[in-house]
Amino acid sequence: MSLKSECQGIHVDQSELLCKKGCGYYGNPAWQGFCSKCWREKYHKARQKQIQEDWELAERLQREEEEAFASSQSGLGAQSLTFSKFEEKKTNEKTRNVTTVKKFFSASSRVGSKKAEIQEAKAPSPSINRQASNETDRVSKEFIEFLKTFHKTGQEIYKQTKIFLETIYYKRDLSIEEQSECTQDFYQNVDERMQTHGKVPSERVEKIMDQIKKYIVTRLYKYVFCPETTDNEKKDLAIQKRIRALHWVTPQMLCVPVNEEISEVSVMVVKAITDIIEMDSKRVPRDKLACITKCSKHIFNAIKITKNEPASADDFLPTKGNPPRLQSNIQYITHFCNPSRLMAGEDGYYFTNLCCAVAFIEKLDAQSLNLSQEDFDLYMSSQTSPRKQESENWVPDACLGVKQMYKNLDLLSQLNERQERIMSEAKKLEKDLIEWTDGIAKEVQDIVEKFPLEIKPPNQSLAAFDSENVENYKLPAPLQPQVYAG
């Protein structure tokens, strides 16, 4: 089994990274190929349509309840005072339930809702009042110290932020998409209020918004990262298992010009793996995005050193490493990062490339690697592995340790193939011996059945020479018995 000489490689056209609506921003597979702006518009329209339908359903249910109650009242006539009070109480309870349904499906679920919703459940929140972690405590102190420099504006921002956190906590049963929408709307409202009412310069607004986002996502991280209402954990395990099964894939198979035998390139690859793994330890989407950007830059630098020329988008694909909770981190960044960072700029470009790389890994097959389906299945099941490149193809200045390592790996691969061949022959020999034994046993049985064993009685034994029934006279002279007188 060997790799085919041709190499199809991976080529991601620039147009494939852009929003499929044609707005010019970067798209995202999580948004079905749209950018965050176009996706929000599409999602908002669908959401408004659903809200309208639910509102009409709630109103219809309320009318039916009122009509049913009115008809029951007119049919029953005069009743006792106690029963009338009971019916009145029941009607009020139903009306309150219908009103609650209306509020849930109305726009009041968005940020900036009435304070009455917050006052409905004033019981202490275990998450708000719990002993904060070291990082949460540190970020909270930094946020408060930062807002002190803005005096009255800072106090108002802190107040609105606390109200928003309380609101999100009591609405944590909403889907992650709805929580994301509420969070993004809150960011937008605060941004607009500071620019219109607070007259804060745009440069300071950006710094303030960065601190607000850092504070909010750090406090909400436990509830919005890989929530139980999603299947992100299942996707994380699936992509980890997939990457682990593809450990035999080399950059050469993907036509990615990365030569790890060059020490500088090897260092870049290690740094890239470290950055992408470090992403999971960050809480702020902007910090996670920064890890992706650093990882991508290291890969581009490794390609640039190998090719001795600038790398292009077609060459880029982070294939090494197996970062934990990859899908959860991508979904978290998608939902809670600043949309403008994902739509354009350096961060958005690298993040879109990562999403494309994950989609490619999930769909990678034998045809993508120019392999036969049989070889691909054997490699995926770890029954065998592709041959390493021969030592004569290495560059002269390759590290001796690397050369020796690949020689040993090649030797182990050959020994593994030899062992598999011996085991196969041994199993075949064992099968032949069993068949031969069964054949001999069958032949013996056939002979026994064809010629059954018959036991005949023994012949009469010969008499002794000196017995009375022996005709002694017939014996020759020397053998005739002599009788001696005692």
Side-chain angles (χ1 to χ4, degrees):
M1 290 171 293
S2 60
L3 299 176
K4 296 182 180 179
S5 57
E6 296 180 359
C7 183
Q8 180 176 328
I10 303 165
H11 300 285
V12 180
D13 191 81
Q14 184 73 13
S15 60
E16 297 178 8
L17 303 179
L18 300 178
C19 174
K20 67 180 183 180
K21 194 175 180 180
C23 63
Y25 294 114
Y26 292 120
N28 192 319
W31 295 322
Q32 299 179 7
F34 293 97
C35 67
S36 61
K37 180 180 178 181
C38 296
W39 170 251
R40 279 172 63 84
E41 290 176 357
K42 181 182 178 182
Y43 176 78
H44 183 70
K45 291 179 181 179
R47 176 69 178 157
Q48 290 299 321
K49 182 180 178 181
Q50 183 66 36
I51 290 176
Q52 183 64 28
E53 292 176 355
D54 294 334
W55 178 274
E56 293 174 357
L57 176 62
E59 288 185 336
R60 181 168 61 81
L61 291 175
Q62 183 179 13
R63 286 196 303 269
E64 291 176 357
E65 289 286 343
E66 293 174 351
E67 291 173 359
F69 176 72
S71 61
S72 64
Q73 286 293 324
S74 60
L76 291 175
Q79 297 182 1
S80 63
L81 181 60
T82 305
F83 185 74
S84 299
K85 288 183 177 180
F86 172 75
E87 288 294 333
E88 182 179 357
K89 182 179 178 181
K90 183 178 179 181
T91 304
N92 292 337
E93 185 177 354
K94 289 182 178 180
T95 305
R96 185 164 58 254
N97 290 338
V98 173
T99 305
T100 303
V101 173
K102 287 183 178 181
K103 287 183 178 180
F104 179 79
F105 289 113
S106 65
S108 63
S109 62
R110 298 165 66 87
V111 178
S113 59
K114 298 178 181 179
K115 292 183 179 180
E117 288 186 69
I118 304 173
Q119 298 295 333
E120 287 179 359
K122 213 50 178 166
S125 164
S127 73
I128 302 295
N129 297 332
R130 75 183 189 282
Q131 184 66 28
S133 63
N134 293 334
E135 184 175 0
T136 303
D137 186 54
R138 178 182 58 80
V139 172
S140 300
K141 290 180 179 179
E142 290 178 357
F143 183 62
I144 294 173
E145 292 297 325
F146 175 78
L147 292 180
K148 284 182 179 179
T149 58
F150 296 94
H151 307 294
K152 187 176 180 180
T153 303
Q155 295 178 2
E156 181 64 22
I157 291 173
Y158 185 75
K159 178 181 177 182
Q160 294 298 325
T161 304
K162 294 289 289 184
I163 293 175
F164 170 74
L165 288 174
E166 290 281 354
T167 305
I168 284 293
Y169 173 76
Y170 292 117
K171 293 183 178 181
R172 65 186 183 278
D173 293 333
L174 297 177
S175 66
I176 194 65
E177 288 79 12
E178 292 172 320
Q179 294 185 53
S180 171
E181 186 180 3
C182 290
T183 305
Q184 298 295 345
D185 287 343
F186 174 72
Y187 293 158
Q188 186 175 356
N189 292 336
V190 173
D191 191 300
E192 292 176 354
R193 284 173 63 89
M194 284 192 294
Q195 294 191 23
T196 56
H197 301 286
K199 305 296 182 182
V200 182
S202 57
E203 300 82 13
R204 301 187 70 182
V205 169
E206 186 176 354
K207 293 182 180 179
I208 295 173
M209 290 306 303
D210 286 341
Q211 291 296 324
I212 293 175
K213 294 171 184 176
K214 181 179 180 180
Y215 174 70
I216 287 178
V217 295
T218 303
R219 294 295 300 270
L220 297 178
Y221 188 79
K222 179 180 178 181
Y223 305 102
V224 299
F225 182 84
C226 193
E228 296 180 356
T229 56
T230 65
D231 59 347
N232 289 346
E233 185 176 359
K234 183 178 179 181
K235 292 180 179 178
D236 290 334
L237 295 176
I239 191 65
Q240 274 199 322
K241 183 178 179 181
R242 178 72 172 172
I243 294 176
R244 194 178 299 116
L246 291 168
H247 68 278
W248 50 271
V249 178
T250 63
Q252 288 75 23
M253 295 181 183
L254 302 173
C255 292
V256 178
V258 174
N259 186 2
E260 295 185 54
E261 296 173 3
I262 302 176
S263 59
E264 193 174 355
V265 173
S266 179
V267 171
M268 291 293 179
V269 172
V270 171
K271 288 182 179 180
I273 296 174
T274 303
D275 290 332
I276 197 65
I277 293 177
E278 186 183 4
M279 173 181 64
D280 187 61
S281 65
K282 305 296 182 181
R283 290 195 173 190
V284 184
R286 183 184 59 184
D287 296 341
K288 291 180 180 290
L289 206 58
C291 290
I292 296 174
T293 300
K294 288 192 296 183
C295 168
S296 303
K297 285 184 176 181
H298 287 315
I299 293 176
F300 270 112
N301 288 334
I303 295 174
K304 180 180 178 181
I305 295 172
T306 302
K307 294 177 62 177
N308 200 21
E309 61 182 34
S312 63
D314 290 345
D315 298 326
F316 174 77
L317 186 68
T319 57
K320 305 210 62 166
N322 196 350
R325 300 191 290 186
L326 181 58
Q327 288 285 8
S328 293
N329 280 287
I330 290 177
Q331 293 297 323
Y332 177 71
I333 294 172
T334 300
H335 288 128
F336 294 97
C337 188
N338 186 351
S340 61
R341 290 183 180 272
L342 303 182
M343 292 165 55
E346 191 177 50
D347 292 341
Y349 173 73
Y350 290 132
F351 180 71
T352 305
N353 271 283
L354 176 63
C355 294
C356 292
V358 173
F360 175 82
I361 291 172
E362 293 175 338
K363 299 177 181 179
L364 187 65
D365 55 11
Q367 185 179 3
S368 304
L369 299 173
N370 288 317
L371 293 173
S372 66
Q373 189 62 45
E374 180 184 1
D375 288 353
F376 183 80
D377 293 339
L378 289 174
Y379 297 155
M380 291 296 290
S381 61
S382 298
Q383 295 184 24
T384 184
S385 60
R387 284 290 191 90
K388 304 297 181 182
Q389 63 180 129
E390 299 296 334
S391 58
E392 57 267 17
N393 296 330
W394 294 333
V395 292
D397 57 345
C399 176
L400 294 177
V402 172
K403 288 184 178 181
Q404 186 62 43
M405 179 186 68
Y406 278 112
K407 286 181 180 178
N408 294 339
L409 289 174
D410 186 46
L411 180 59
L412 288 174
S413 178
Q414 294 178 23
L415 291 175
N416 184 48
E417 292 179 4
R418 183 180 176 184
Q419 182 182 10
E420 290 178 355
R421 189 165 54 251
I422 292 174
M423 289 299 297
S424 176
E425 294 294 334
K427 290 181 179 179
K428 183 180 178 182
L429 177 60
E430 181 183 12
K431 182 180 178 182
D432 292 342
L433 288 173
I434 293 174
E435 292 178 352
W436 178 79
T437 305
D438 293 342
I440 295 296
K442 187 175 183 303
E443 291 179 4
V444 171
Q445 185 64 27
D446 293 341
I447 294 173
V448 170
E449 291 176 355
K450 186 176 181 180
F451 305 101
L453 179 63
E454 295 180 2
I455 301 177
K456 297 180 179 181
N459 296 329
Q460 190 175 0
S461 59
L462 298 175
F465 288 142
D466 55 353
S467 66
E468 296 179 355
N469 60 349
V470 174
E471 298 177 356
N472 295 330
Y473 65 92
K474 294 183 178 180
L475 294 175
L479 298 179
Q480 290 180 0
Q482 301 293 323
V483 178
Y484 297 94

